Amino acid sequence: QHTVESLRAGATPYEHLSERAPGVAAQALRDWLGRWDFAGERAFETVDTFSGGERARLALALIAWQQPNLLVLDEPTNHLDLDMREALADALNDYSGALILVAHDRHLLVACRAYGLRPVDGPFGDFSDPDGFIAAANRVAVLGYEGKWAIHPSQIELCNQVFTPSEAEVTKARRIMAAMEQAAKEGRGAVSLDGRLIDIASIRMAESLLSKAKDMGLSA
């Protein structure tokens, strides 16, 4: 496991990566480091001068390079600026293995939804308080979470009650996809619905919702 603490004092980003990628062309290593904002001479500066955010970014770059079968990330965006959060989202989109991601970052949550990942909120400990569970589930549902851990059988139906897509949500998602298909047929680059432009994130979220509805056996 590569963590910030595993970075060697006095070593450079290039040295850290080359140790994990023997035989790989130097330009390929530099290109990879450049994606994580260690471009040019920055790849040859020692980590001793790096900030906490830069060290975290390098650790993530090393993890992403090795493409492990299972990746567990706990609050990976801490200390990262907006550009590096975008880079992390791109890297995770390219990752083909299993991913467990723990985060409270709204931007990362939206990115996960846009890329088709399904964020699930953590557990609500007091299973004797159904109203509290529903309130907590509703809060995260508004943020974009698609589910919540159930630690007691009594919470399963409550969870389904909150997170099952409504008929109105499914209908809107279908209209978004229809508008996208119509725009493509007409050669229009912009997609609009009800007088509002639809961005790619909304389209991907609509695809995800329809996929979820299909998996749950909701009516077509």
Side-chain angles (χ1 to χ4, degrees), residues 58-104:
L58 177 56
L60 288 171
L62 299 176
I63 292 171
W65 171 269
Q66 293 198 309
Q67 294 281 297
N69 292 326
L70 172 63
L71 189 58
V72 181
L73 299 179
D74 185 5
E75 302 290 359
T77 58
N78 284 357
H79 309 298
L80 298 185
D81 59 24
L82 184 58
D83 288 342
M84 284 305 99
R85 292 178 186 187
E86 292 284 359
L88 173 63
D90 289 341
L92 295 180
N93 185 47
D94 294 336
Y95 175 66
S96 59
L99 173 66
I100 299 175
L101 176 65
V102 179
H104 295 85

Side-chain angles (χ1 to χ4, degrees), residues 172-187:
K172 183 176 180 180
R174 291 197 181 104
R175 292 183 65 215
I176 288 175
M177 299 308 299
M180 182 194 70
E181 294 174 2
Q182 186 62 33
K185 289 179 181 178
E186 297 175 359

Side-chain angles (χ1 to χ4, degrees), residues 120-186:
V120 175
D121 190 43
F124 183 81
D126 187 357
F127 54 80
S128 65
D129 182 9
D131 291 337
F133 180 92
I134 290 177
N138 278 324
R139 283 195 296 270
V140 297
V142 169
L143 291 175
Y145 285 85
E146 292 200 21
K148 187 171 181 63
W149 291 3
I151 61 173
H152 189 270
S154 64
Q155 294 179 336
I156 296 175
E157 180 56 35
L158 300 176
C159 195
N160 288 335
Q161 176 183 325
V162 173
F163 292 102
T164 298
S166 68
E167 183 177 347
E169 290 172 328
V170 174
T171 298
K172 183 176 180 180
R174 291 197 181 104
R175 292 183 65 215
I176 288 175
M177 299 308 299
M180 182 194 70
E181 294 174 2
Q182 186 62 33
K185 289 179 181 178
E186 297 175 359

